[in-house]
Amino acid sequence: MLCLSPCAPHRHLHHLHRRHPPARPGAAAASCRNARGPGVALCLRTPATPEERRQRRRVARLHDASAASASPAAPAAPALKPPATAPAAPAPAVRPIPTAERRGRLREMRRLWWVCGVGYWVQGFRCFPWLALNFHLARGLGLSPAALQLVQNAGNLPLVAKPLFGVLSDAVYIGRAHRLPYISIGALLQLIAWGTLAIIPVTGDTFPTQMACILVGNLGASVTEVVSDAVVTEFSRTQKAGVLQSYAFIALAAGSLLGNLSGGYVLLKTQEPKIMFTAFSVLLGFQLALSLGTKETLPSTPRNTRSRLVTSSLAANLRKQFSNLMMAISEERIFYPLAWIMTSFAVVPILSGTMFCFQTQYLKLDPSIIGLSKVVGQVMVLSLTVLYNRYLKRIPLRHLIAGVQMLYAVAVLSDLVLVKQINLMLGIPNEIHVLCFSALAEAIAQFKVLPFSVLLSSLCPPGCEGSLFAFFTSGLVFSAILSGVFGVGLSTLIGVSSVDYSTLPLGILLQSLAALLPLGWISFLPEKWTADEKVVMQR
């Protein structure tokens, strides 16, 4: 019968080892252990004596104990598994602290977004004092259309220096922060400029001082705009594509809407630009106080933490930041869209100063009509922004911009209807035409920047947010200055003056044709890129 008995390993396989010796010492013992377990041998024999029966029972009990310990159903092995998950056990105990910190950071981020939203709103509301300043320059100082347009474009020269401010905000920290301090500085400069304009007398002798205030005010505005764009770019990496840019455009358009709506009414009732300068100064004081009372909280990206506070010299930081900016711009996927948007503005001669004088001096329109026309334009920008965020961002960039550019060329021709008085032939008063169509081209041109802002946000390297968007916006300002200079040259070439607007229709036709020229190099834009994509596709 089959039985189990304890034995030494060498006593059961020695007859096999005589025929097939083991390859190494101890192999016999290993073979025995593998075959029958530790200290137990299998054999076929019949126990005859009582001693052998007792021995068989002892071996059977030993076998049962061994089988129980080796059984798969034994709970000993699973009992060793919990220590593997032990490191995760302390997580619930420390979870309330990160949750509280997260809530605190969310509150600070909301306050920071309030600062940026107010900054964009104030940036749009700048049309409120500028409307009064344009009337002051045209009526109070008697500037010609060409001179007024030159002053407007010369006042925008500080905006060309935006890349410098962007590099400074990226590389230079002020009190362990590198965004909000610059917003405060920009608001302070604007407060000084517009406060001075509200105090000095309105005479021709003070024109140099007024021009200096215009330059300082635009300098502060450029600093604030650069830093706000950088904050939007940093936060856009944590949000759905295009949402934050749309938020910024809506705040900007809302400020412009209210500024134009209230500016025309206040100027019509008071006829005093200083009141508007004072009111805007109070608003700038509120923006300054809000920025000073807010703690800077930015997304925790590897290059936007406090570890970026390097100990190298300021010159080394600036050189490194300029180098990073040039490397970013040199990439084809960034360079070609930048080149297209800048040239699309530069090649179109703008006749804004000439049209302003034609409407106010020749047609004798009230300031409220001019302000309301700007309001309608900003409503169009708001509508286009919402439409883009919902539907238009799914259209490939090249097709979208081509359609927008053709629409802009058609909108420019609406001024031709006013100059030729075709609207009167159709029974439409000048006030209604100016109210509905005067700011149409300007609104389309302003909206055209939004898709490029979304594109650059998806391509901007970490750490270059301020400098790249400063370069982008300064390039747009420089293109607008060139466009204004070309407009002055065009109006002078065709002989437009404050007493003779007979050749203005020719200038509008040339302007509309020039608006179609950028379609010739539309291939610079990515063909298949949409706002939902994070990487631009090759051309």
Side-chain angles (χ1 to χ4, degrees), residues 105 108-109 111-112 169 173-183 227 231 234-235 291 293-299 304 306:
R105 291 195 62 184
E108 295 297 335
M109 288 171 62
R111 290 202 62 179
L112 181 60
S169 67
Y173 283 68
I174 302 176
R176 300 185 68 83
H178 69 136
R179 300 300 186 202
L180 286 181
Y182 291 94
I183 293 180
V227 179
V231 173
E234 290 189 35
F235 277 102
S291 62
T294 303
K295 180 182 178 181
E296 180 171 309
T297 305
L298 297 173
N304 285 326
R306 290 179 178 177

Side-chain angles (χ1 to χ4, degrees), residues 130-174:
W130 265 97
L131 181 62
L133 186 61
N134 286 333
F135 271 92
H136 164 66
L137 295 175
R139 291 184 176 180
L141 300 182
L143 296 182
S144 64
L148 175 61
Q149 192 159 328
L150 281 176
V151 170
Q152 291 174 342
N153 288 279
N156 290 329
L157 285 176
L159 302 178
V160 181
K162 281 185 174 182
L164 175 60
F165 309 139
V167 170
L168 287 175
S169 67
D170 284 337
V172 181
Y173 283 68
I174 302 176

Side-chain angles (χ1 to χ4, degrees), residues 9-144:
H10 63 279
R11 295 182 60 180
H12 295 275
L13 296 178
H14 62 277
H15 60 282
L16 295 177
H17 295 161
R18 291 176 180 175
R19 296 182 180 180
H20 306 283
R24 62 184 184 276
S31 300
C32 183
R33 284 193 300 267
N34 294 338
R36 53 184 173 76
V40 179
L42 294 176
C43 59
L44 289 173
R45 64 190 185 92
T46 303
T49 63
E51 181 65 23
E52 289 179 346
R53 292 191 187 98
R54 288 193 298 270
Q55 186 178 8
R56 185 188 64 181
R57 287 194 294 269
R58 288 197 298 269
V59 171
R61 288 194 296 268
L62 179 62
H63 172 70
D64 293 339
S66 300
S69 62
S71 175
L80 298 176
K81 292 183 179 180
T85 59
V94 298
R95 185 171 299 172
I97 298 178
T99 301
E101 294 178 358
R102 191 181 306 112
R103 290 175 179 175
R105 291 195 62 184
L106 286 176
R107 286 194 297 268
E108 295 297 335
M109 288 171 62
R110 292 191 190 101
R111 290 202 62 179
L112 181 60
W113 267 108
W114 268 105
V115 174
C116 291
V118 169
Y120 280 108
W121 190 88
V122 172
Q123 178 184 343
F125 197 76
R126 290 177 64 224
C127 61
F128 178 82
W130 265 97
L131 181 62
L133 186 61
N134 286 333
F135 271 92
H136 164 66
L137 295 175
R139 291 184 176 180
L141 300 182
L143 296 182
S144 64

Side-chain angles (χ1 to χ4, degrees), residues 285-352:
F286 170 74
Q287 182 187 12
L288 177 61
L290 183 62
S291 62
L292 290 175
T294 303
K295 180 182 178 181
E296 180 171 309
T297 305
L298 297 173
S300 56
T301 54
R303 298 193 60 183
N304 285 326
T305 58
R306 290 179 178 177
S307 61
R308 291 184 59 209
L309 294 172
V310 296
T311 57
S312 56
S313 64
L314 176 61
N317 288 340
L318 293 178
R319 282 196 300 268
K320 181 180 179 181
Q321 200 63 40
F322 271 113
S323 176
N324 293 338
L325 174 62
M326 297 308 299
M327 289 179 61
I329 296 174
S330 62
E331 295 186 17
E332 291 187 1
R333 60 181 187 173
I334 295 179
F335 174 77
Y336 283 120
L338 284 176
W340 191 92
I341 186 66
M342 293 178 187
T343 54
S344 68
F345 282 109
V347 298
V348 182
I350 295 298
L351 302 173
S352 58

Side-chain angles (χ1 to χ4, degrees), residues 167-486:
V167 170
L168 287 175
S169 67
D170 284 337
V172 181
Y173 283 68
I174 302 176
R176 300 185 68 83
H178 69 136
R179 300 300 186 202
L180 286 181
Y182 291 94
I183 293 180
S184 302
I185 292 173
L188 179 60
L189 291 176
Q190 294 182 79
L191 178 60
I192 294 173
W194 291 104
T196 304
L197 285 174
I199 295 174
I200 62 175
V202 183
T203 60
D205 297 337
T206 60
F207 177 74
T209 305
Q210 297 177 41
M211 193 65 200
C213 290
I214 293 174
L215 293 173
V216 173
N218 283 338
L219 177 65
S222 65
V223 175
T224 304
E225 292 170 11
V226 165
V227 179
S228 298
D229 290 339
V231 173
V232 168
T233 305
E234 290 189 35
F235 277 102
S236 64
R237 295 192 178 97
T238 63
Q239 303 291 331
K240 190 176 179 180
V243 173
L244 299 185
Q245 287 81 4
S246 299
Y247 165 79
F249 263 70
I250 289 174
L252 181 66
S256 299
L257 191 151
L258 183 60
N260 287 304
L261 182 62
S262 58
Y265 178 79
V266 172
L267 190 60
L268 179 64
K269 293 297 183 180
T270 63
Q271 298 293 326
E272 183 56 55
K274 286 188 175 183
I275 296 178
M276 302 176 69
F277 299 157
T278 304
F280 189 64
S281 300
V282 173
L283 183 61
L284 290 171
F286 170 74
Q287 182 187 12
L288 177 61
L290 183 62
S291 62
L292 290 175
T294 303
K295 180 182 178 181
E296 180 171 309
T297 305
L298 297 173
S300 56
T301 54
R303 298 193 60 183
N304 285 326
T305 58
R306 290 179 178 177
S307 61
R308 291 184 59 209
L309 294 172
V310 296
T311 57
S312 56
S313 64
L314 176 61
N317 288 340
L318 293 178
R319 282 196 300 268
K320 181 180 179 181
Q321 200 63 40
F322 271 113
S323 176
N324 293 338
L325 174 62
M326 297 308 299
M327 289 179 61
I329 296 174
S330 62
E331 295 186 17
E332 291 187 1
R333 60 181 187 173
I334 295 179
F335 174 77
Y336 283 120
L338 284 176
W340 191 92
I341 186 66
M342 293 178 187
T343 54
S344 68
F345 282 109
V347 298
V348 182
I350 295 298
L351 302 173
S352 58
T354 303
M355 286 302 303
F356 180 82
C357 292
F358 175 78
Q359 294 172 358
T360 57
Q361 297 178 1
Y362 185 82
L363 298 180
K364 306 296 183 181
L365 297 179
D366 291 335
S368 59
I369 300 298
I370 307 298
L372 286 175
S373 68
K374 303 294 185 182
V375 170
V376 174
Q378 294 307 314
V379 171
M380 294 178 186
V381 174
L382 281 172
S383 303
L384 289 173
T385 302
V386 174
L387 190 63
Y388 173 81
N389 196 36
R390 289 183 176 270
Y391 307 107
L392 298 181
K393 67 179 182 179
R394 301 187 183 97
I395 302 176
L397 182 64
R398 184 183 299 182
H399 300 150
L400 175 63
I401 296 301
V404 170
Q405 192 67 22
M406 289 187 287
L407 185 62
Y408 174 72
V410 174
V412 170
L413 292 177
S414 63
D415 290 336
L416 182 63
V417 176
L418 180 65
V419 174
K420 299 292 290 184
Q421 294 291 276
I422 299 176
N423 57 295
L424 294 181
M425 302 177 188
L426 300 175
I428 302 175
N430 291 330
E431 291 80 4
I432 300 299
H433 186 275
V434 170
L435 193 64
C436 297
F437 300 103
S438 179
L440 178 60
E442 182 180 351
I444 294 174
Q446 184 176 346
F447 166 76
K448 187 173 67 174
V449 180
L450 176 58
F452 288 90
S453 299
V454 178
L455 172 66
L456 293 180
S457 295
S458 65
L459 299 177
C460 180
C464 289
E465 295 87 359
S467 53
L468 180 59
F469 267 81
F471 182 85
F472 171 55
T473 54
S474 67
L476 294 180
V477 171
F478 184 70
S479 300
I481 292 175
L482 288 179
S483 177
V485 172
F486 292 156

Side-chain angles (χ1 to χ4, degrees), residues 79 166 491:
S491 62

